[in-house]
Amino acid sequence: MGNVVIVAVLGFAAWGAMTVGWSWIPGWVGDNAWWAPVVFAVFGVVETAVVPRFRYRVHRWEVTEDVIYTRKGWIGREWQLVPISRIQTVDHTQGWTERMFRVATLEVQTASHAGSSTIEGLDVDRAREISEDLAVRAGDLQDDAT
């Protein structure tokens, strides 16, 4: 959605640069201004077609009885194991674009220096189910943590 808005703004600016003849714009910019929205539109199409497949291939997660496992990265990989007994908070959030596609982000926070473990693109009902389950299990194990 954001790419469409950017292409529209770039298209309007290119039209202005080519037709209005603003004196403060160099001539070569006005003559070639139509390239900006075209290049960005091609970039947006490629991003829309490639990024979801890329993210699907490089992001993995699993919740077991005693640990949450996440993996991300293609060139450099990052594995993160979060013991259920170390969980401090479990949040599931939805931005406006996530609401459009009925997906959510699950964030599991610990006191670790590595920060939180994040699982993006979950079905909204699945994210709610996992967050509630993890919160209950972490609460049950709270006294067991060292």
Side-chain angles (χ1 to χ4, degrees), residues 47-136:
E47 182 184 33
T48 302
V50 172
V51 169
R53 287 185 178 99
F54 170 77
R55 290 189 65 141
Y56 177 76
R57 288 179 181 242
V58 301
H59 290 81
R60 295 284 185 256
W61 63 273
E62 182 180 1
V63 178
T64 64
E65 284 297 316
D66 54 351
V67 74
I68 300 166
Y69 168 79
T70 59
R71 183 188 83 185
K72 62 183 173 182
W74 186 39
I75 296 172
R77 291 230 169 124
E78 177 183 322
W79 289 267
Q80 192 170 27
L81 301 171
V82 177
I84 301 288
S85 61
R86 296 298 218 173
I87 293 175
Q88 289 187 332
T89 60
V90 180
D91 301 320
H92 67 274
T93 59
Q94 272 188 301
W96 68 274
T97 54
E98 288 177 315
R99 279 197 317 253
M100 280 180 16
F101 295 106
R102 298 216 14 95
V103 295
T105 298
L106 184 72
E107 188 172 357
V108 179
Q109 297 180 352
T110 66
S112 168
H113 75 281
S116 60
S117 184
T118 304
I119 304 170
E120 298 175 336
L122 287 172
D123 177 71
V124 68
D125 296 327
R126 181 79 172 128
R128 184 177 298 115
E129 175 186 312
I130 292 171
S131 67
E132 290 171 357
D133 179 54
L134 287 175
V136 168

Side-chain angles (χ1 to χ4, degrees), residues 9-24:
V9 169
L10 287 174
F12 181 73
W15 171 81
M18 291 186 310
T19 58
V20 175
W22 292 320
S23 61
W24 54 274

